[in-house]
Amino acid sequence: MDTTNSTPPANDADEQRIHELVARSQEAQIDPDVLPALHAANLVIVNLAGRRLFGRDAFASAMAEALSSPLKDIRTSLEVDDIRFTTPDVAIVSLTKTVYDERFADERFEAESSSELPSVGVMTYVLTRQGDDWLIALAQTTPVQ
């Protein structure tokens, strides 16, 4: 049996660290000082609306802009569905992302909104190991219709 292309075995400590990273990223979703630091400097992000950002600085800037707009009232929850290690230092994490838009509690805003995005997406993180920690190198969200 050829094992040269087999996936490295999962490490329980690494899986725990990855679950903790996902939880920290969810908790920090409105903290512009914490969330960007959980990402690699050369990250790529594609959000639910298809906006693509390159680099931590672009992400931090977009996050600050969003937090000073009505988007500040959008929250998400993340559920880890699967973790796969492609190498000991790279993991692919499949998640389900649920969006809670608190702006729609105001019926006037909902009536004015013409392009509501889906409330559920599938998200993929590519994580890279940095010492004993993991950082998000890629975050891609695909809407579920």
Side-chain angles (χ1 to χ4, degrees), residues 54-129:
F54 296 97
R56 187 186 299 144
D57 291 341
F59 173 50
S61 176
M63 184 177 179
E65 180 182 319
L67 290 173
S68 65
S69 78
L71 295 175
K72 72 184 180 328
D73 295 321
I74 295 176
R75 301 291 180 270
T76 61
S77 66
L78 300 172
E79 180 182 338
V80 175
D81 299 316
D82 186 65
I83 299 172
R84 300 193 182 219
F85 295 89
T86 60
T87 73
D89 295 329
V90 176
I92 298 173
V93 182
S94 297
L95 308 117
T96 299
K97 181 176 190 171
T98 304
V99 179
Y100 304 94
D101 192 338
E102 296 172 3
R103 297 175 301 171
F104 291 144
D106 182 346
E107 293 175 14
R108 291 172 297 157
F109 183 85
E110 186 171 12
E112 294 171 7
S113 177
S114 61
S115 63
E116 182 180 349
L117 290 170
S119 63
V120 177
V122 291
M123 183 173 214
T124 302
Y125 279 166
V126 175
L127 306 180
T128 57
R129 182 192 308 274

Side-chain angles (χ1 to χ4, degrees), residues 11 29 88 104 121 128 145:
N11 176 315
Q29 63 187 284
F104 291 144
T128 57
Q145 300 290 337

